[in-house]
mmCIF file of all heavy atoms in Angstrom:
data_model
loop_
_atom_site.group_PDB
_atom_site.id
_atom_site.type_symbol
_atom_site.label_atom_id
_atom_site.label_comp_id
_atom_site.label_asym_id
_atom_site.label_seq_id
_atom_site.Cartn_x
_atom_site.Cartn_y
_atom_site.Cartn_z
ATOM 1 N N VAL A 49 -58.359 -159.631 -40.536
ATOM 2 C CA VAL A 49 -59.522 -159.223 -39.753
ATOM 3 C C VAL A 49 -59.518 -157.731 -39.562
ATOM 4 O O VAL A 49 -60.586 -157.049 -39.754
ATOM 5 C CB VAL A 49 -59.529 -159.930 -38.347
ATOM 6 C CG1 VAL A 49 -60.535 -159.320 -37.415
ATOM 7 C CG2 VAL A 49 -59.820 -161.454 -38.556
ATOM 8 N N TRP A 50 -58.365 -157.128 -39.256
ATOM 9 C CA TRP A 50 -58.292 -155.658 -39.076
ATOM 10 C C TRP A 50 -58.609 -154.931 -40.356
ATOM 11 O O TRP A 50 -59.369 -153.975 -40.354
ATOM 12 C CB TRP A 50 -56.986 -155.284 -38.512
ATOM 13 C CG TRP A 50 -56.900 -153.809 -38.132
ATOM 14 C CD1 TRP A 50 -57.370 -153.192 -37.088
ATOM 15 C CD2 TRP A 50 -56.345 -152.739 -39.000
ATOM 16 N NE1 TRP A 50 -57.215 -151.810 -37.142
ATOM 17 C CE2 TRP A 50 -56.536 -151.544 -38.365
ATOM 18 C CE3 TRP A 50 -55.697 -152.742 -40.263
ATOM 19 C CZ2 TRP A 50 -56.087 -150.361 -38.853
ATOM 20 C CZ3 TRP A 50 -55.297 -151.511 -40.777
ATOM 21 C CH2 TRP A 50 -55.486 -150.367 -40.075
ATOM 22 N N LEU A 51 -58.035 -155.353 -41.466
ATOM 23 C CA LEU A 51 -58.309 -154.737 -42.770
ATOM 24 C C LEU A 51 -59.765 -154.751 -43.107
ATOM 25 O O LEU A 51 -60.356 -153.775 -43.549
ATOM 26 C CB LEU A 51 -57.430 -155.399 -43.856
ATOM 27 C CG LEU A 51 -55.933 -155.132 -43.824
ATOM 28 C CD1 LEU A 51 -55.238 -155.986 -44.852
ATOM 29 C CD2 LEU A 51 -55.640 -153.667 -44.079
ATOM 30 N N GLU A 52 -60.389 -155.885 -42.780
ATOM 31 C CA GLU A 52 -61.840 -156.035 -43.089
ATOM 32 C C GLU A 52 -62.667 -155.100 -42.222
ATOM 33 O O GLU A 52 -63.521 -154.415 -42.676
ATOM 34 C CB GLU A 52 -62.252 -157.501 -42.838
ATOM 35 C CG GLU A 52 -63.689 -157.811 -43.192
ATOM 36 C CD GLU A 52 -63.939 -157.877 -44.697
ATOM 37 O OE1 GLU A 52 -63.037 -158.160 -45.449
ATOM 38 O OE2 GLU A 52 -65.049 -157.497 -45.104
ATOM 39 N N SER A 53 -62.333 -155.044 -40.902
ATOM 40 C CA SER A 53 -63.130 -154.242 -39.974
ATOM 41 C C SER A 53 -62.958 -152.739 -40.257
ATOM 42 O O SER A 53 -63.839 -151.972 -39.889
ATOM 43 C CB SER A 53 -62.740 -154.542 -38.553
ATOM 44 O OG SER A 53 -61.526 -154.018 -38.197
ATOM 45 N N THR A 54 -61.826 -152.329 -40.855
ATOM 46 C CA THR A 54 -61.608 -150.948 -41.141
ATOM 47 C C THR A 54 -62.008 -150.511 -42.572
ATOM 48 O O THR A 54 -61.844 -149.369 -42.920
ATOM 49 C CB THR A 54 -60.108 -150.534 -40.896
ATOM 50 O OG1 THR A 54 -59.282 -151.346 -41.781
ATOM 51 C CG2 THR A 54 -59.738 -150.681 -39.426
ATOM 52 N N GLY A 55 -62.474 -151.443 -43.333
ATOM 53 C CA GLY A 55 -62.905 -151.170 -44.703
ATOM 54 C C GLY A 55 -61.769 -151.090 -45.694
ATOM 55 O O GLY A 55 -61.932 -150.579 -46.805
ATOM 56 N N LEU A 56 -60.536 -151.546 -45.283
ATOM 57 C CA LEU A 56 -59.353 -151.468 -46.206
ATOM 58 C C LEU A 56 -59.079 -152.750 -46.922
ATOM 59 O O LEU A 56 -58.138 -152.823 -47.704
ATOM 60 C CB LEU A 56 -58.143 -151.021 -45.338
ATOM 61 C CG LEU A 56 -58.188 -149.644 -44.714
ATOM 62 C CD1 LEU A 56 -57.090 -149.390 -43.778
ATOM 63 C CD2 LEU A 56 -58.372 -148.604 -45.754
ATOM 64 N N ALA A 57 -59.816 -153.820 -46.591
ATOM 65 C CA ALA A 57 -59.512 -155.133 -47.237
ATOM 66 C C ALA A 57 -59.653 -155.120 -48.725
ATOM 67 O O ALA A 57 -58.854 -155.859 -49.403
ATOM 68 C CB ALA A 57 -60.435 -156.192 -46.588
ATOM 69 N N GLY A 58 -60.416 -154.373 -49.311
ATOM 70 C CA GLY A 58 -60.574 -154.342 -50.759
ATOM 71 C C GLY A 58 -59.449 -153.593 -51.488
ATOM 72 O O GLY A 58 -59.227 -153.772 -52.615
ATOM 73 N N ARG A 59 -58.726 -152.798 -50.704
ATOM 74 C CA ARG A 59 -57.609 -152.012 -51.262
ATOM 75 C C ARG A 59 -56.236 -152.603 -51.006
ATOM 76 O O ARG A 59 -55.319 -152.280 -51.745
ATOM 77 C CB ARG A 59 -57.694 -150.594 -50.698
ATOM 78 C CG ARG A 59 -58.881 -149.856 -51.190
ATOM 79 C CD ARG A 59 -58.973 -148.471 -50.515
ATOM 80 N NE ARG A 59 -57.821 -147.634 -50.842
ATOM 81 C CZ ARG A 59 -57.524 -146.539 -50.208
ATOM 82 N NH1 ARG A 59 -58.298 -146.110 -49.192
ATOM 83 N NH2 ARG A 59 -56.492 -145.868 -50.481
ATOM 84 N N PHE A 60 -56.114 -153.349 -49.900
ATOM 85 C CA PHE A 60 -54.745 -153.797 -49.494
ATOM 86 C C PHE A 60 -54.726 -155.290 -49.181
ATOM 87 O O PHE A 60 -55.769 -155.801 -48.686
ATOM 88 C CB PHE A 60 -54.260 -152.994 -48.332
ATOM 89 C CG PHE A 60 -54.207 -151.477 -48.612
ATOM 90 C CD1 PHE A 60 -55.197 -150.681 -48.079
ATOM 91 C CD2 PHE A 60 -53.203 -150.950 -49.376
ATOM 92 C CE1 PHE A 60 -55.174 -149.316 -48.395
ATOM 93 C CE2 PHE A 60 -53.160 -149.590 -49.689
ATOM 94 C CZ PHE A 60 -54.153 -148.782 -49.156
ATOM 95 N N ARG A 61 -53.611 -155.877 -49.353
ATOM 96 C CA ARG A 61 -53.513 -157.349 -49.080
ATOM 97 C C ARG A 61 -53.010 -157.523 -47.594
ATOM 98 O O ARG A 61 -52.209 -156.759 -47.096
ATOM 99 C CB ARG A 61 -52.450 -157.925 -50.000
ATOM 100 C CG ARG A 61 -52.929 -157.932 -51.436
ATOM 101 C CD ARG A 61 -51.981 -158.592 -52.384
ATOM 102 N NE ARG A 61 -51.560 -159.844 -51.875
ATOM 103 C CZ ARG A 61 -50.438 -160.467 -52.176
ATOM 104 N NH1 ARG A 61 -49.585 -159.898 -52.993
ATOM 105 N NH2 ARG A 61 -50.087 -161.619 -51.607
#
Side-chain angles (χ1 to χ4, degrees):
V49 167
W50 185 81
L51 289 171
E52 185 72 29
S53 75
T54 57
L56 297 173
R59 294 176 58 195
F60 303 102
R61 294 182 48 204

